Amino acid sequence: MLSLHLKANPRETLLGWYTTSPELNSFSALIQNFFASPETGTFPHPAVHLTVSTDPGSDLELRAYISSPVAVTADRAAESCLFIQVPHKLAYNEAERSALDLISSAKDNESRTAPIGTDIESLARSIEYTTDLLDRVSEFVSAIIDEEQEPNNALGQYLMGALALAPKVDPVQIEADFNNHIQDVLMVSYLANSIRTQIDLSQRLATAVLAEGDKDVKDGEKGERGDRGDRGGRGGKRGGRGGGRGGGQQRDTREPREPREPTE
């Protein structure tokens, strides 16, 4: 399975394995040694073992381990190892975060389904989430100013750095830029609809011209066939008249003449 996966994704490398149980047992050492072996594993780097707790009703808990051999003989080393917990960090991009938020929203629905909304609905959810974060930060800063909560220097520096990255623009200028952007979007939408309508109209006109041309060709063929039929009918009538004339007049039969006698 690993060789097939690496053939399809040659840039990826094996890091380790994971389980959906936070507990370590005797089989964990066997699997860890298998993934850390030189033939089928991550050698010379240590294999990472990730445990994920999936207990219903509890928060998601992640733990990362690496191992080291503790046995004296090679036979015992294949069956035992010492797991050492190492720090880890959960990282994801915006697309993965959106997908996880959509999946997690199914917990509030009785059917445990999460329908995919439109772009406007996604934008509205993003704005609501951003507003919620701003409210939480504002409450935290207000509590520190009122000396209701102990200050956190690391969090304060992080917030200062985040605010420093925000552009300082006049609200009037932001509104003007937004309106200009909306006008550009409407113009592009109008042009796209106009082009779509023109293409549809051109296709209908071309179809109508082709249908009219086929109809004219069929009418011409029918006219030629009618003329030929009329000519044939006239010829038949003439032949009939000739036959009638020949049948109505009978010639008188003449008697054979006697041969004359030669004269001297």
Side-chain angles (χ1 to χ4, degrees):
M1 185 65 70
L2 177 61
S3 61
L4 292 176
H5 180 78
L6 293 179
K7 287 181 180 179
N9 304 276
R11 295 185 179 181
E12 295 184 1
T13 56
L14 179 64
L15 296 179
W17 61 290
Y18 73 95
T19 58
T20 55
S21 175
E23 302 296 333
L24 300 175
N25 50 34
S26 59
F27 295 101
S28 300
L30 294 174
I31 301 174
Q32 179 72 10
N33 292 330
F34 173 79
F35 279 99
S37 62
E39 294 82 8
T40 59
T42 61
F43 184 83
H45 304 286
V48 179
H49 176 36
L50 182 67
T51 60
V52 183
S53 62
T54 57
D55 296 333
S58 61
D59 296 335
L60 188 66
E61 184 179 358
L62 303 176
R63 294 179 183 178
Y65 299 92
I66 59 174
S67 62
S68 62
V70 293
V72 178
T73 62
D75 296 337
R76 296 292 299 173
E79 299 177 358
S80 61
C81 64
L82 176 64
F83 284 97
I84 303 173
Q85 188 173 356
V86 293
H88 65 281
K89 180 180 179 181
L90 185 62
Y92 46 83
N93 52 30
E94 294 297 330
E96 294 175 346
R97 175 60 182 270
S98 300
L100 291 175
D101 290 340
L102 180 62
I103 295 173
S104 62
S105 63
K107 65 181 181 180
D108 300 330
N109 194 353
E110 294 181 357
S111 60
R112 293 296 185 270
T113 58
I116 299 177
T118 61
D119 295 338
I120 299 299
E121 293 176 353
S122 300
L123 179 61
R125 286 197 299 267
S126 300
I127 293 175
E128 291 177 359
Y129 179 73
T130 304
T131 304
D132 186 18
L133 291 179
L134 292 176
D135 292 339
R136 291 168 58 186
V137 172
S138 178
E139 292 177 0
F140 175 74
V141 174
S142 298
I144 292 177
I145 293 175
D146 296 338
E147 297 181 355
E148 296 178 357
Q149 188 174 353
E150 293 293 331
N152 189 339
N153 295 330
L155 185 57
Q157 292 178 358
Y158 180 80
L159 292 175
M160 184 179 295
L163 293 175
L165 295 176
K168 296 180 181 180
V169 185
D170 189 11
V172 178
Q173 183 66 28
I174 293 176
E175 185 177 0
D177 294 340
F178 180 78
N179 292 330
N180 293 332
H181 177 69
I182 291 296
Q183 292 178 0
D184 294 339
V185 171
L186 293 176
M187 179 60 68
V188 172
S189 178
Y190 172 75
L191 292 176
N193 292 330
S194 299
I195 294 173
R196 188 182 300 108
T197 303
Q198 184 177 2
I199 293 174
D200 190 10
L201 182 60
S202 300
Q203 291 178 353
R204 292 186 179 182
L205 290 175
T207 304
V209 170
L210 292 176
E212 186 176 358
D214 294 340
K215 184 178 180 181
D216 293 340
V217 171
K218 292 180 179 179
D219 293 341
E221 292 178 354
K222 289 181 179 180
E224 292 179 357
R225 292 177 182 176
D227 293 340
R228 292 176 183 176
D230 293 341
R231 293 175 184 176
R234 292 176 183 177
K237 291 179 180 179
R238 291 177 182 177
R241 291 176 183 176
R245 291 175 182 176
Q249 297 178 359
Q250 297 181 357
R251 294 183 180 181
D252 298 335
T253 58
R254 298 181 180 181
E255 296 179 356
R257 298 179 181 181
E258 296 180 356
R260 298 180 180 181
E261 295 180 356
T263 57
E264 292 181 359

